[in-house]
C-alpha cells in the first residue's frame, strides 16, 4: 500500500521591532557582504517573511551594534518580538530558545554579538 506524501506548504514568520531603535533583518549568508537585501524596521514596525514549512533559514538581526544570529524552522505561523531575541544572550546557555513564549517557537538564537563596523547610530 502506498505511503501518503505530505505536500509542502508555506508558513509566515513575523518579526516585530518592539525596541526603541531601528533594526535590520538580513540573510545571515549576506551579512556584511551585500546591502541589497536588508529590511529596515522602525520602532513598532513588523515584517512578515513567507517560508517553506520545515526548512531551515538563518538571519542576522541588528539593532545599533548588537547582532543576533537566529535560525528559523517552523511548521506553523510564528510571531517573534525582536527584543526577546536580543535579550536571549542574558539567558543561560543551556536554554537557547528565543523565548518561552509559544508564539516564538521555531526561532532559535544561535549567537548575540556586537558589530561596530556597520553602526549607523550614535551610541554615545
Amino acid at each position: 500500500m502506498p505511503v501518503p506524501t505530505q505536500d509542502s506548504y508555506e508558513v509566515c514568520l513575523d518579526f516585530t521591532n518592539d525596541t526603541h531603535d531601528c533594526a535590520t533583518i538580513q540573510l545571515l549568508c549576506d551579512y556584511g557582504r551585500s546591502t541589497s537585501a536588508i529590511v529596515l524596521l522602525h520602532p513598532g514596525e513588523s515584517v512578515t517573511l513567507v517560508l517553506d514549512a520545515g526548512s531551515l533559514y538563518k538571519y542576522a538581526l541588528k539593532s545599533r551594534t548588537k547582532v543576533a544570529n537566529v535560525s528559523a524552522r517552523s511548521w506553523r505561523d510564528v510571531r517573534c518580538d525582536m527584543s526577546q531575541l536580543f535579550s536571549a544572550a542574558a539567558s543561560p546557555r543551556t536554554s537557547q530558545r528565543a523565548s518561552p513564549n509559544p508564539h516564538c517557537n521555531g526561532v532559535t538564537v544561535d549567537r548575540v554579538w556586537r558589530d561596530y563596523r556597520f553602526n549607523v547610530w550614535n551610541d554615545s
Side-chain angles (χ1 to χ4, degrees):
M1 185 174 193
V3 176
T5 60
Q6 182 176 355
D7 293 329
S8 63
Y9 61 97
E10 296 173 336
V11 296
C12 294
L13 172 58
D14 181 63
F15 285 114
T16 300
N17 182 6
D18 61 333
T19 69
H20 296 290
D21 298 305
C22 290
T24 60
I25 301 172
Q26 185 175 17
L27 287 172
L28 184 60
C29 63
D30 292 340
Y31 184 80
R33 296 183 193 148
S34 170
T35 57
S36 61
I38 295 175
V39 176
L40 172 66
L41 294 177
H42 293 278
E45 291 183 336
S46 64
V47 64
T48 301
L49 306 174
V50 179
L51 312 176
D52 288 330
S55 295
L56 179 65
Y57 295 86
K58 292 184 175 273
Y59 297 100
L61 287 70
K62 183 172 184 179
S63 181
R64 293 190 174 252
T65 58
K66 196 178 244 187
V67 180
N69 294 357
V70 299
S71 299
R73 176 181 286 163
S74 184
W75 287 264
R76 62 183 181 88
D77 293 348
V78 176
R79 181 182 168 277
C80 201
D81 293 331
M82 293 179 78
S83 64
Q84 294 174 342
L85 302 175
F86 290 120
S87 66
S91 65
R93 255 183 114 55
T94 56
S95 172
Q96 290 192 347
R97 277 276 173 221
S99 168
N101 181 346
H103 294 292
C104 209
N105 285 342
V107 178
T108 304
V109 176
D110 300 320
R111 178 179 165 212
V112 177
W113 55 288
R114 298 237 178 230
D115 184 0
Y116 297 98
R117 297 175 300 161
F118 302 108
N119 182 18
V120 294
W121 298 278
N122 184 1
D123 281 336
S124 55

